[in-house]
Amino acid sequence: MNAHPVITVLAGNRPLVGMEELQREAEVRVTDDAGLPEALAGADILYLWDYFADGVRRAWPAADSLRWIHVPAAGVDKLMFPELVSSEVVLTNARGVFDRPMAEHVLGSMFHFAKNFGLASAQQRQRQWRHYATGDLAGASVLVAGTGSIGRCTARLLAAVGLRVDGTGRTARGGDADFGTIHASADFAAVAGAYDYVVLAAPLTPDTRGMLSREVLTAMKPTAVLINVGRGALADEAALEDALRGGALAGAALDVFETEPLPESSGLWELENVLVTPHLSGDSQNQLPALARQFADNLAAFKAGRPLANVVDKQLGFVVS
Amino acid sequence: MNAHPVITVLAGNRPLVGMEELQREAEVRVTDDAGLPEALAGADILYLWDYFADGVRRAWPAADSLRWIHVPAAGVDKLMFPELVSSEVVLTNARGVFDRPMAEHVLGSMFHFAKNFGLASAQQRQRQWRHYATGDLAGASVLVAGTGSIGRCTARLLAAVGLRVDGTGRTARGGDADFGTIHASADFAAVAGAYDYVVLAAPLTPDTRGMLSREVLTAMKPTAVLINVGRGALADEAALEDALRGGALAGAALDVFETEPLPESSGLWELENVLVTPHLSGDSQNQLPALARQFADNLAAFKAGRPLANVVDKQLGFVVS
């Protein structure tokens, strides 16, 4: 129970939403990255509105009474530093809010390649009317790496339009409600070659880092398309660029990168078989109010001493269903 | 009954598929546009493999024993000339084969605009990492003009991904299996303003020509996106270009045009809120064998004196369900 907790809000470039309501429920300190250590001292809760921020570990020594960190994002890999993992501080995320936009981003990206819209646009800029080949998604096969809420929402949407959807997860299993077969992540390289599309929707953990290895890329069909909405470091980005340049992979829709913003010097920008988007696959109109509401609901639980929703397993690095 | 009919095949740029099988069933004369009059004399059947061809009316006086024309395409508007319409010649089309590719083209086009992939690609060419707004298709509303097999397949696919789908058809009706409400085509201008997306999937007939009029365009939401997979002349193309330039319409995916190929001088090429594709929304890999099979099945019926499938109502200009 804590009737009027102190919340430190790390603001970012996004407009702050829901702050008036919060101020009725708590003492709210809005800060930026530089002011974080000072604002953390004495705070009960850290609300990482700017979830791209890197400064939490740096400010950690100042967190003398912190009990809860909420990240209005899906991935929490930046917070998996030892001091936080080993602490008693509870970490929650915005599980669910990004599922549908990301699933739509994945499906839209698949259409971009199946329907060859990149070539259509290139020809349009040249005022060129020339026939080219297109394909259907119906009946195509897709492997979704990640069976969390994002992977599941994606699987359901893709199945709804007629794709055959399998997954990879921590343990192999059949009889799943959303996936055909779930392969063990350890078998990713062994099974990836059977699919027309491969989607990375896994959290970044020590187990998943580099999972799209040179070996997996070599195993994939040369006609296959990769979609990464998880984290850039799930892939060996240099090997991925080689595969895309060398024809080992037909195309890729990349929303996340090893370094973000993607450096101007990256060779990925210039590849015509790549669709680069600036880490926004989870975005949607009217999403900020949903994120604010989710935090407000959890804050009510915190104040009442009830269990919080969407608690991250800090050993695993994600919320366990 | 006709044991060994004479079939004139108008070849085009597409590879001829299924000809060996046909030659076992009939006398086959392959010709081009110039040779059509000579090849039509004495022919029982005209197989318009090159369905973009214009020469049938010109060659019509030579058709002295023609009984059946098959068009391996959906739209038959080019064949609705008085001599053919008033004749006893039966006209069939490839109803069904294009439904799924076109439905996918429509959905893919909607994602292209909802997810702002045009801007993504433009920024990618500039190596520019900059956030922009995206939206969801879930819960958006769409009006599909045309309740034939293409419109229905499209409606089913869009509903499967969570869009609210209404239609316009010859007569208003509710309780339809594929559409929410079907409005009367005559009310198109009155209802178009309520939708986030408008899809033209109607046949081109005297009733539908110019149905996307300046009046309808003015009624539409300025945030709405148009997708035309029917015929260019369903729209007032000059009014459409004005709407797209002036902000009365957010975007358009146009696969068909008043004049095809789209003239190099057309202003539509240069509009960044337009996706131009060269009349291929119905295309798909492995489609030519399906088209050949469909004709072979109808040929078997013709030879046996059974009724043909997919007979066009020449008064209406399309196949009636």
Side-chain angles (χ1 to χ4, degrees), chain B residues 60-80:
Chain B
W60 192 255
D64 51 6
S65 49
L66 197 64
R67 293 167 55 199
W68 170 31
I69 300 178
H70 179 72
V71 189
V76 295
D77 44 283
K78 282 190 175 177
L79 294 170
M80 294 292 99

Side-chain angles (χ1 to χ4, degrees), chain A residues 72-122:
Chain A
V76 294
D77 45 284
K78 283 191 175 176
L79 294 170
M80 293 293 98
F81 53 89
E83 303 91 309
L84 171 50
V85 170
S86 65
S87 76
E88 296 291 310
V89 173
V90 173
L91 179 63
T92 58
N93 76 354
R95 179 183 168 94
V97 175
F98 306 100
D99 296 358
R100 175 72 199 198
M102 292 178 88
E104 289 200 7
H105 179 94
V106 169
L107 180 55
S109 299
M110 291 169 67
F111 276 122
H112 177 83
F113 286 100
K115 296 300 175 185
N116 224 334
F117 285 155
L119 179 58
S121 299

Side-chain angles (χ1 to χ4, degrees), chain B residues 9-31:
Chain B
V9 179
L10 186 66
N13 293 323
R14 298 192 296 180
L16 284 166
V17 169
M19 288 301 134
E20 282 178 33
E21 292 79 358
L22 273 194
Q23 276 158 353
R24 285 197 292 270
E25 303 291 331
E27 179 189 330
V28 176
R29 305 173 179 172
V30 176
T31 184

Side-chain angles (χ1 to χ4, degrees), chain B residues 11-315:
Chain B
N13 293 323
R14 298 192 296 180
L16 284 166
V17 169
M19 288 301 134
E20 282 178 33
E21 292 79 358
L22 273 194
Q23 276 158 353
R24 285 197 292 270
E25 303 291 331
E27 179 189 330
V28 176
R29 305 173 179 172
V30 176
T31 184
D32 60 8
D33 221 41
L36 189 58
E38 190 180 344
L40 263 184
D44 300 293
I45 304 167
L46 173 60
Y47 184 19
L48 276 180
W49 189 253
D50 179 11
Y51 56 84
F52 282 120
D54 281 316
V56 179
R57 187 175 190 177
R58 213 163 42 237
W60 192 255
D64 51 6
S65 49
L66 197 64
R67 293 167 55 199
W68 170 31
I69 300 178
H70 179 72
V71 189
V76 295
D77 44 283
K78 282 190 175 177
L79 294 170
M80 294 292 99
F81 53 89
E83 302 90 311
L84 171 50
V85 169
S86 65
S87 75
E88 295 291 310
V89 174
V90 173
L91 179 63
T92 59
N93 77 353
R95 179 184 169 94
V97 175
F98 307 100
D99 296 358
R100 176 72 198 198
M102 292 178 88
E104 289 200 8
H105 180 94
V106 169
L107 179 55
S109 299
M110 291 168 67
F111 276 122
H112 176 84
F113 286 99
K115 297 300 175 183
N116 224 334
F117 285 155
L119 180 58
S121 299
Q123 290 194 177
Q124 182 177 340
R125 290 193 298 277
Q126 307 291 323
R127 296 178 178 249
Q128 193 168 65
W129 180 277
R130 194 165 56 189
H131 192 269
Y132 49 82
T134 57
D136 289 344
L137 290 188
S141 60
V142 56
L143 181 64
V144 178
T147 55
S149 68
I150 293 166
R152 287 188 176 278
C153 183
T154 301
R156 286 191 296 270
L157 185 65
L158 301 185
V161 304
L163 282 129
R164 294 178 292 116
V165 188
D166 290 339
T168 65
R170 276 174 295 155
T171 52
R173 56 195 186 274
D176 188 90
D178 300 320
F179 293 92
T181 299
I182 296 181
H183 305 283
S185 299
D187 295 330
F188 192 42
V191 301
Y195 295 89
D196 301 312
Y197 296 87
V198 172
V199 177
L200 303 184
L204 179 62
T205 69
D207 283 344
T208 63
R209 183 175 291 275
M211 67 183 291
L212 191 82
S213 61
R214 204 170 282 273
E215 182 194 1
V216 172
L217 286 160
T218 303
M220 284 174 71
K221 291 185 187 183
T223 53
V225 169
L226 171 78
I227 293 131
N228 190 357
V229 292
R231 282 288 184 266
L234 294 173
D236 176 339
E237 200 168 279
L240 175 58
E241 187 179 332
D242 287 347
L244 288 161
R245 284 188 189 278
L249 198 61
L254 304 175
D255 188 53
V256 287
F257 302 88
E258 283 181 359
T259 303
E260 295 177 10
L262 183 62
E264 208 185 314
S265 60
S266 170
L268 292 169
W269 289 113
E270 73 200 27
L271 297 185
E272 290 188 358
N273 56 349
V274 172
L275 177 65
V276 172
T277 50
H279 198 146
L280 47 59
S281 74
D283 274 26
S284 176
Q285 75 276 48
N286 302 322
Q287 191 172 51
L288 299 188
L291 292 172
R293 206 160 44 238
Q294 198 178 39
F295 177 69
D297 289 347
N298 244 353
L299 178 61
F302 180 86
K303 288 173 69 173
R306 288 185 277 115
L308 301 186
N310 303 325
V311 173
V312 173
D313 181 321
K314 293 190 288 181
Q315 299 308 315

